[in-house]
Amino acid sequence: QVQLVESGGGVVQPGGSLRLSCTASGRTSPSYTMIWYRQAPGKDYEFVAQISGQRNTTDYGDSVKGRFTISRDSSKMTAYLQMNSLKTEDTAIYYCNLKVDYGPGSGYWGQGTQVTVSS
């Protein structure tokens, strides 16, 4: 069974930075896809960033391009989301999602970590 543990959330002022981490445990594929989603109050889940494949291909949602950076350390089975120039609109619960070829189509989900950007 794969489990994900997220950390790094907190309260910051606009313009500040946070770094989220997501560590996977259990049996995983040597190559995997890690996705960050977020859900703001009263809104649907929103795609934030993705890193996948052996080449660590990355992709970002339009609202975070140029501000957020996704990375991972496969040896530690950990993905990161560096968030800079945070805006109040970034306030949300951030979830990491792990997908492997042999796993369920919906992937495995973390518990979420709260990010609050407020002055």
Side-chain angles (χ1 to χ4, degrees), residues 7 10 18 21 23 30 44 50 52 59 64 68 70-71 73 78 94-95 102:
S7 62
L18 282 175
S21 299
T23 299
D44 293 331
Q50 173 181 300
S52 63
D59 191 23
V64 305
F68 291 9
I70 188 171
S71 62
D73 183 343
T78 300
Y94 285 71
Y95 300 90
Y102 58 83

Side-chain angles (χ1 to χ4, degrees), residues 16-106:
S17 298
L18 282 175
R19 190 193 192 201
L20 306 183
S21 299
C22 179
T23 299
S25 62
R27 300 190 66 179
T28 60
S29 174
S31 181
Y32 57 92
T33 298
M34 183 70 74
I35 309 169
W36 287 97
Y37 293 93
R38 67 186 183 186
Q39 186 177 38
K43 297 184 178 180
D44 293 331
Y45 285 90
E46 178 186 12
F47 170 77
V48 176
Q50 173 181 300
I51 186 166
S52 63
Q54 295 181 351
R55 296 175 175 82
N56 289 327
T57 302
T58 60
D59 191 23
Y60 298 92
D62 290 339
S63 63
V64 305
K65 287 181 178 178
R67 299 188 297 119
F68 291 9
T69 302
I70 188 171
S71 62
R72 65 180 172 185
D73 183 343
S74 294
S75 66
K76 299 180 179 179
M77 300 180 65
T78 300
Y80 306 94
L81 184 68
Q82 179 66 46
M83 306 185 295
N84 298 325
S85 301
L86 284 163
K87 306 174 181 179
T88 57
E89 302 94 289
D90 296 317
T91 296
I93 301 175
Y94 285 71
Y95 300 90
C96 63
N97 173 254
L98 175 70
K99 291 185 177 179
V100 295
D101 290 339
Y102 58 83
S106 59

